[in-house]
Every structure is written in C-alpha cells, then in structure tokens.
Amino acid sequence: MAKLSSSNGLEKRPKLRFPGFDEPWKTNIFDEIFSLLPNNTLSRADLASCGDILNVHYGDVLIKYGSILDVESDEIPYITTGKESKKQCYLSDGDVIIADTAEDETVGKCTEIINTQNAKIEAGLHTIPCHPRTAYAPMFLGYYMNSPYYHKQLIPLMQGVKVLSVSKSNIGNTLISAPVSYSEQEKIVDLLHLLDCLMRKQQEVIDSLKKYKRGLLMHFFSDDTTRQWRQYTISQIGKVITGNTPPTNDRSNYDGDLMFCSPRDIGEQKYISSTEKRVSPKGFALGRPIPPSSVIVTCIGLIGKLGIATTDMITNQQINALIVSEDFDHEFIYYAFENFFPKYRSKVSMQTLPILSKSEFEKLLIKVPNLNVQHKISNYLAGMDKRIEQTQQELNVLQDLRRGIIQKLFI
C-alpha cells in the first residue's frame, strides 16, 4: 500500500507514503490558508429541536463529532426560532469548526463540515469557524488538524487553569502541512475514512450487544422471574470487607508488585487483573486483603461500579468487597448487583456525596434462586460479556492501527 521515506534536508516528508508519491509536503501558516468566519453566542438553553438553522455547539465538537461532521447523517441541534445571530454566517462544505475552549487539553479539537446540500448551518459558542482559501481534498483538513502533529502546536498556546482556551491570534500562527498532490490527499482521506467506518460499525455491534445484555438482565431479574426466589441480605450472602489506604507518607508501603484497588480501576472491565497503584508486602499487610472471586463495589460517590477480583488484593476505603460464601455463585451475585445498583443510584443521586456504608450495604436485600439456576443465569450472561469483550478488543485493534498509521501518515 505504501512505502517508507525519510526527511531530505529541510524538506518535510511523512514516514508512510502511497506508491507514486515522494515529493515533500508543503507547509503554510494557518492565516495564509484560512479566513475566519463569525460564530454566534447561543448557549444550549437557546437551542431546541425545531427551526431551520443548524447550530454546532463547541461541546459537541469536543465529544460528539469526529474529524468529520456530515450534515446529512450526524445529528445536530437546531437554533430556536426567534433567536437570531448577531452576525449570521452559514458554513459551506469544507469549512472547519475549532473548539477554542475545553476543560482539558482536548481544546483545539475540530471537525470539518460536509454540507453538500447547502443546509443552513452555523458555528456556536466557543468555536472558531474558518473557511479554507485554497482547495483541499474533502475531509483532509479535518483529519490533519486532529492529528497529534498539529495538536502538539496548540499545547503551549493553551491558557487558563480549570478551563483551557486557545485564542484566534495564536491559532493563526500555527502551521498546516499537506501533500502538494490533491490525489495524495484523497488517498490519505480514503484510508482514514475507511478505518473510521470500520470502527463505527464495530461500535454499533458493541452497542447492540450491550443493549441485548441489558434486556437479558431485565428479563432474568424481573418481578415475574424472581417471584419464587428467596430474599437475602448481603451479610447473609457473604462477608463484607471495607478497604483502607496504607499510609501514603511512607513510600515503603508502595511501588511494589501487589494490587491496590481504587474506584478508578473499576468499571471498564468485569475482572480486575491490574491496578493503577501497587503496594509492597509491607503496605499490603497494612490493608484488608480480599481473595480472588470477591465482588468489588464502589460505595462513595458513584455507587455501584463493579468488578471481580482475579487475585489477592487490597482496596481503599471507597470500596466494599463481598467475599461470597460457597452457597452462592459469585458471578451471579455480580450480575444481581449489576441489575440492582442503577435503580439504587437513582434514589441517592440528589445527595451531595452519596455514601453507602458497610452496615447499610450489608442490609441491602437481593433475591436469589437456587444454586443450579444461579449457575445457568451467570453462565449465559458471562457468555454475553465474553462476546462484548471480544468485540471491544477487535475495536481496540482498529483504534491502535489508526493511531499508528496517523503517526506515520502526517507531519
């Protein structure tokens, strides 16, 4: 598909090239390439689902949209009728919207507009809309300006503490590099767009599997299904251990090989096989160890994040761990909690800092069938989790591939 090339003196070439292209890329200052366009200052409170003017909010640029925003296929809120922009300016196909404000270093993320139908679309609050003066292959600028090569120019330009921002004048001095050949730009776009489409399809499969699993949970733990099940308190199901933190002022308690679980280690994976922090044998002895197969539950802040220990570990004080007795299937209890805690969270969400103490946790009531039924239900749900995990791993491979290609494809 491509061949490797290296820099030639002051000429700039990417490491990864398509066959037939070897000329150096051209670099221009941002202000030489773009004309800045006016944006409106409408907040989300000024937006509604009716009207004929599409509005792109900076928060959606940061989170919702990728490098490309296709007006035909991507959902965009409408500007409310009666709210007119002071400087009304509709964006054209190929225009770029930059988010100039964020709570982290994602500030500067952008999206390129695909607007072949000439819809009425505006850039909203905290955005920098810009129009390329020269022709680029559709979607090239969106991909390039979200690459690490361009974004690293913005990091020293960011201002602020809790909220970061980048000014128009500073962005105007950044550099844009691109192939001289329009055809090479198109090939780069085609490759990245293909990877994005594959990742989008893969994510749709993951979302469908997760939705199906939620339906299974609702079925298995519905009132009709559990009518004949027996009700137990958590203390009847096993032993509850609330974690603690070895003294942090003594560094000899840390930087070992033993696992120390905190809430940030929980939620992404069902099985907890690694932790961000590790402790020494000395630190481990100062904690409250839990064995493998213990069900781990966060009980301060976001209550009900779950995991299953895969090895001996200690936890911090934000976690209650349940060592499930032999009369119960620990995997089933995990799924019972997965069904239970979303409803519980909705009841305590109004509290400033929700806390589920050990004594309160032990009093919670869970309906449980006989052990044979527990095994059947947990095995079925575990099979679904395995399918979701495998599909997620396939998506991770695509994401890693895309990152690796971008690192070699741009300069």
Side-chain angles (χ1 to χ4, degrees):
M1 177 194 71
K3 64 180 181 179
L4 295 178
S5 64
S6 59
S7 298
N8 180 14
L10 297 177
E11 295 179 342
K12 297 181 69 176
R13 289 178 170 86
K15 294 180 180 179
L16 189 65
R17 303 298 295 270
F18 288 89
F21 300 98
D22 191 50
E23 64 270 37
W25 282 24
K26 184 178 180 181
T27 299
N28 294 93
I29 297 173
F30 183 100
D31 279 347
E32 295 174 346
I33 294 174
F34 289 108
S35 299
L36 297 185
L37 304 173
N39 64 317
N40 65 53
T41 57
L42 298 174
S43 67
R44 287 194 187 275
D46 298 322
L47 303 178
S49 58
C50 60
D52 61 352
I53 304 175
L54 300 166
N55 182 81
V56 179
H57 192 272
Y58 81 98
D60 292 335
V61 174
L62 292 171
I63 299 172
K64 184 176 180 181
Y65 305 129
S67 298
I68 310 302
L69 194 170
D70 191 331
V71 177
E72 287 191 49
S73 58
D74 290 313
E75 181 183 353
I76 306 174
Y78 290 98
I79 294 177
T80 55
T81 54
K83 283 281 186 180
E84 296 295 335
S85 304
K86 293 181 180 179
K87 297 179 180 179
Q88 203 162 54
C89 177
Y90 300 140
L91 303 185
S92 304
D93 191 43
D95 289 348
V96 176
I97 301 175
I98 303 170
D100 67 7
T101 300
E103 294 182 356
D104 54 28
E105 290 186 355
T106 57
V107 60
K109 183 175 179 292
C110 73
T111 189
E112 180 178 335
I113 303 297
I114 303 299
N115 185 18
T116 56
Q117 301 300 315
N118 294 319
K120 295 179 180 179
I121 180 170
E122 291 186 335
L125 184 69
H126 295 309
T127 66
I128 301 175
C130 40
H131 176 74
R133 295 191 179 101
T134 57
Y136 286 84
M139 301 187 281
F140 177 83
L141 288 171
Y143 283 122
Y144 179 80
M145 293 174 66
N146 280 321
S147 72
Y149 287 94
Y150 179 75
H151 191 74
K152 70 181 179 181
Q153 297 182 66
L154 302 181
I155 294 175
L157 307 178
M158 297 176 185
Q159 299 176 329
V161 181
K162 292 184 178 180
V163 177
L164 300 177
S165 63
V166 179
S167 68
K168 293 179 181 179
S169 58
N170 281 334
I171 285 182
N173 293 319
T174 59
L175 302 176
I176 305 290
S177 296
V180 175
S181 169
Y182 192 91
S183 295
E184 185 176 6
Q185 294 179 26
E186 289 182 316
K187 288 184 178 296
I188 291 171
V189 167
D190 289 344
L191 174 59
L192 295 180
H193 188 58
L194 173 62
L195 287 171
D196 283 351
C197 289
L198 291 173
M199 290 190 297
R200 189 178 302 113
K201 293 294 184 183
Q202 195 73 4
Q203 186 62 57
E204 289 173 359
V205 174
I206 293 171
D207 293 342
S208 296
L209 289 172
K210 287 182 176 179
K211 183 178 179 180
Y212 182 64
K213 184 193 168 185
R214 286 195 297 270
L216 288 175
L217 282 171
M218 292 175 63
H219 167 71
F220 286 135
F221 294 96
S222 67
D223 291 338
D224 288 340
T225 304
T226 63
R227 186 174 291 116
Q228 303 301 319
W229 294 6
R230 182 179 171 184
Q231 190 164 256
Y232 296 88
T233 63
I234 300 301
S235 61
Q236 292 175 312
I237 294 172
K239 181 180 179 181
V240 177
I241 294 181
T242 302
N244 68 311
T245 299
T248 56
N249 57 359
D250 184 354
R251 293 311 305 169
S252 65
N253 291 328
Y254 291 87
D255 301 326
D257 296 324
L258 301 172
M259 291 172 60
F260 174 51
C261 183
S262 70
R264 68 180 58 191
D265 301 310
I266 306 171
E268 293 298 321
Q269 302 287 339
K270 175 182 174 182
Y271 299 106
I272 301 174
S273 56
S274 64
T275 56
E276 185 175 298
K277 291 185 178 180
R278 298 285 181 127
V279 293
S280 65
K282 176 187 173 184
F284 193 86
L286 295 173
R288 297 167 185 157
I290 59 173
S293 301
S294 298
V295 180
I296 293 172
V297 185
T298 57
C299 290
I300 297 180
L302 182 56
I303 293 175
K305 288 174 63 179
L306 302 170
I308 296 177
T310 58
T311 187
D312 293 324
M313 64 178 65
I314 61 173
T315 73
N316 76 359
Q317 60 274 13
Q318 295 173 277
I319 292 171
N320 285 324
L322 177 63
I323 304 174
V324 179
S325 72
E326 294 180 357
D327 296 328
F328 300 89
D329 177 357
H330 71 276
E331 294 262 351
F332 175 87
I333 299 304
Y334 170 90
Y335 291 118
F337 283 168
E338 189 175 6
N339 175 71
F340 173 84
F341 275 106
K343 301 171 188 175
Y344 181 89
R345 278 196 296 267
S346 66
K347 296 177 183 178
V348 300
S349 60
M350 298 303 293
Q351 298 179 23
T352 303
L353 181 64
I355 297 176
L356 179 59
S357 68
K358 177 183 177 182
S359 60
E360 292 172 327
F361 181 68
E362 290 176 325
K363 294 175 184 176
L364 294 178
L365 295 170
I366 301 291
K367 282 189 173 183
V368 181
N370 64 57
L371 191 56
N372 184 49
V373 174
Q374 291 179 48
H375 290 325
K376 288 181 179 179
I377 291 175
S378 65
N379 287 340
Y380 197 92
L381 291 171
M384 283 300 306
D385 275 339
K386 188 172 183 179
R387 288 182 62 188
I388 293 170
E389 181 182 357
Q390 290 173 340
T391 311
Q392 181 64 56
Q393 288 173 350
E394 292 168 1
L395 175 59
N396 294 344
V397 169
L398 286 172
Q399 291 171 335
D400 290 342
L401 175 63
R402 185 185 188 276
R403 279 191 292 268
I405 287 175
I406 283 179
Q407 288 176 353
K408 296 179 179 180
L409 205 57
F410 290 125
I411 56 175

